[in-house]
Amino acid sequence: MIAFSSRMPSTGISPVSPAISCDGVSITAVAEAVGTPLYVTDAAQVRSRFEALHHAFGDYPHALHYALKANSLTGILRVIRELGGAADANSIWEIEVARRVGFEPSEIVFTGVGKSGDELAQAVPLGLKAINVESAGELSRIERIAESLGRPARVAVRVNPDIDAKSHPHISTGLKINKFGVPLDAARELLATFSARPWLQLVAIHVHIGSQITSLEPLERAATFVATMGGELRRAGLPLEYLDVGGGLGISYDGAPVVAPSDYVSALVAAVRPTGLPIVIEPGRSIVGPAAMLVARVIDIKPRNAVSEFVVIDAGMTELMRPALYGAFHRIDAVQPRAGDVRHYEIVGPVCESSDVVGRDRMMAPLEVGDLVVVRDAGAYGSAMASNYNRRPLPPEVIVDRGEWRVARRRQTVDDMLSLES
Ligand code: LLP
């Protein structure tokens, strides 16, 4: 391997720091025992991040419906449920998982832009807290099922507020051009029909303008939008039970400042308080994102160009798709940094695609084959979006809680995969 420090005077010798641990548990020890790649989640962080959001509401009535799509490992869901959290499910399967860990139907909101006939047929009889509807057609389909059951369905209307979340285009959902929600004018027309629809009970208005939102302004605008609409509906004689302002609060992947949960909640409460209605939020990333890391091992190092090398690790887009899909940045650190000149690395995964880059152009202490690295802030949309591409097994998940660790999900095996095939 070549040292490049002489060409990069700004970098210099990397200081040797202590080995990475999670709540006192050695990452090296866990990786030795379980193998790599693996996810390690710190339950204490899940708790503290949930509590920070919850306490920020003070005595303002609210419910935190954790968005399962971010990470629905049952070990994490149990932690959230113990704290008094509720659930936001995006499919009938997430509803099923939520129920298996003990969430009551009355604690689940069913969101999502495409709910199949089968999903609705199963969901409506459950008596969920709300089905957040995305179109006039979906509302009619729910209505027919409710009528056949002889019991009104609780629904919320997801309105598309045409607000720019200023996030990555793949995860911005609040603009008119996006597929989500009912546009404002159509929503007004739809809402006016409720008084003549006995099999539908309108319980809320819902907005969700996107994910990884790092400035307060769009979140505040969305809350004001929903509050204004809630006020209008009340004056029109359609009383609501609550307002659902969705999820979307971002986290800092690179250390740049982001909105503090307390400022976010203060803005929501300030916007909604005039209506007196309880607030529902659907946070995913802000609760679990920073709470987990992906642990991987260096399996090869080879020259890349005159100034840098490829470091191939045993985790890639199959374990963490975000860098390949969104060009997302995740910090990568050696578990036990070595002394020596900082080097220029392209950290790549083992998958047969050039998009399988986990970290571009990283300046790091020297790595060697066999070293462990962690990919930080991988708790949200990491393992949840993992795949079997290249027949790579889904990675195991370890939860660290009160200084102890346990395998919360074992590594998938080829037998597991093939058991689905005939
Ligand atoms: N509610 C609804 C209706 C949603 O669609 C989402 C996320 C959430 C709540 C939770 O949003 P959060 O608080 O986590 O931002 N895979 C992408 C993120 C997709 C988000 C999808 N919807 C990523 O890795 O960045």
Side-chain angles (χ1 to χ4, degrees), residues 67 69 88 111 158 171 206 208 210-212 247-249 282-285 322 326 381 385:
K69 60 178 80 70
D88 158 19
T111 58
R158 177 173 181 178
I171 54 175
H206 175 218
H208 171 78
S211 192
Q212 184 51 15
L249 179 62
E282 300 166 351
R285 186 189 320 262
R322 306 193 67 258
Y326 316 114
Y381 309 106
M385 292 170 73

Side-chain angles (χ1 to χ4, degrees), residues 13-27:
I13 308 264
S14 66
V16 178
S17 22
I20 292 173
S21 60
C22 175
D23 200 9
V25 169
S26 152
I27 292 300

Side-chain angles (χ1 to χ4, degrees), residues 19 30 68 95 100 118 130 156 158 185 188 253 256 268 301 333-334 346 348 350 399 402 416:
V30 177
L68 266 76
I95 291 176
R100 288 201 195 183
D118 277 352
R158 177 173 181 178
D185 291 344
R188 287 217 167 92
Y253 285 98
L268 298 182
I301 299 180
D333 295 309
E346 184 88 336
V348 300
I399 295 185
R402 302 186 171 94
D416 290 332

Side-chain angles (χ1 to χ4, degrees), residues 31 49 53 87 100 132 146 164 169 180-181 188 191 195-196 216 225-226 277 291 311 314 316 342 372:
R49 303 187 72 85
L53 277 173
R100 288 201 195 183
N132 294 358
D164 186 356
F180 299 94
R188 287 217 167 92
L191 289 162
S195 52
L216 191 53
F225 172 91
V226 99
L277 289 167
V311 172
D314 63 1
V342 165
L372 290 170

Side-chain angles (χ1 to χ4, degrees), residues 28-382:
T28 305
V30 177
E32 294 294 342
V34 179
T36 53
L38 85 148
Y39 275 95
V40 179
T41 300
D42 181 358
Q45 272 220 53
V46 174
R47 283 195 193 93
S48 65
R49 303 187 72 85
F50 180 96
E51 298 281 12
L53 277 173
H54 172 59
H55 291 309
F57 280 94
D59 55 11
Y60 196 86
H62 65 280
L64 265 63
H65 284 252
Y66 169 67
L68 266 76
K69 60 178 80 70
N71 189 330
S72 56
L73 185 69
T74 52
I76 292 177
L77 298 181
R78 284 198 188 92
V79 168
I80 287 169
R81 189 166 173 273
E82 277 164 20
L83 297 171
D88 158 19
N90 203 69
S91 67
I92 195 69
W93 304 281
E94 282 189 351
I95 291 176
E96 175 73 23
V97 170
R99 294 190 67 209
R100 288 201 195 183
V101 301
F103 289 100
E104 296 295 333
S106 60
E107 296 169 327
I108 301 172
V109 293
F110 185 10
T111 58
V113 73
K115 308 177 193 78
S116 71
D118 277 352
E119 287 180 279
L120 289 178
Q122 290 177 58
V124 175
L126 295 175
L128 301 172
K129 172 157 165 169
I131 302 178
N132 294 358
V133 302
E134 298 257 352
S135 73
E138 184 179 80
L139 188 64
S140 301
R141 290 189 282 278
I142 294 169
E143 185 177 33
R144 282 199 292 276
I145 299 168
E147 183 171 8
S148 70
L149 295 168
R151 184 170 65 152
R154 295 169 55 86
V155 296
V157 173
R158 177 173 181 178
V159 183
N160 181 320
D162 199 23
I163 292 174
D164 186 356
K166 302 191 176 94
S167 181
H168 189 284
H170 290 191
I171 54 175
S172 292
T173 53
L175 285 175
K176 251 190 198 155
I177 50 156
N178 300 128
K179 66 182 175 180
F180 299 94
V182 184
L184 182 56
D185 291 344
R188 287 217 167 92
E189 282 172 30
L190 197 62
L191 289 162
T193 67
F194 271 87
S195 52
R197 301 175 84 165
W199 302 111
L200 295 173
Q201 184 188 353
L202 178 71
V203 295
I205 296 293
H206 175 218
V207 285
H208 171 78
I209 58 167
S211 192
Q212 184 51 15
I213 301 171
T214 52
S215 62
L216 191 53
E217 185 259 352
L219 293 162
E220 208 165 20
R221 277 181 64 202
T224 305
F225 172 91
V226 99
T228 308
M229 225 172 154
E232 272 175 32
L233 288 169
R234 171 174 287 180
R235 284 189 294 279
L238 276 177
L240 301 174
E241 286 181 14
Y242 62 89
L243 295 172
D244 183 342
V245 297
L249 179 62
I251 60 172
S252 182
Y253 285 98
D254 59 2
V258 292
V259 184
S262 53
D263 292 340
Y264 164 65
V265 171
S266 300
L268 298 182
V269 172
V272 173
R273 193 184 287 280
T275 68
L277 289 167
I279 299 174
V280 160
I281 57 173
E282 300 166 351
R285 186 189 320 262
S286 55
I287 292 178
V288 292
M293 50 188 144
L294 172 61
V295 185
R297 207 177 274 284
V298 175
I299 50 181
D300 198 11
I301 299 180
K302 60 183 184 178
R304 177 188 180 215
N305 55 28
V307 294
S308 67
E309 292 159 291
F310 287 111
V311 172
V312 187
I313 58 175
D314 63 1
M317 63 193 293
T318 38
E319 288 72 30
L320 180 67
M321 206 204 258
R322 306 193 67 258
L325 194 56
Y326 316 114
F329 175 90
H330 285 259
R331 279 180 296 144
I332 301 174
D333 295 309
V335 169
Q336 176 65 80
R338 294 174 181 276
D341 290 347
V342 165
R343 287 160 187 265
H344 183 168
Y345 290 132
E346 184 88 336
I347 316 268
V348 300
V351 171
C352 58
E353 300 217 6
S354 295
S355 61
D356 188 26
V357 177
V358 185
R360 287 195 189 279
D361 293 315
R362 300 302 168 90
M363 307 308 298
M364 294 175 70
L367 290 167
E368 289 182 17
V369 170
D371 285 0
L372 290 170
V373 297
V374 295
V375 185
R376 305 271 193 182
D377 304 311
Y381 309 106

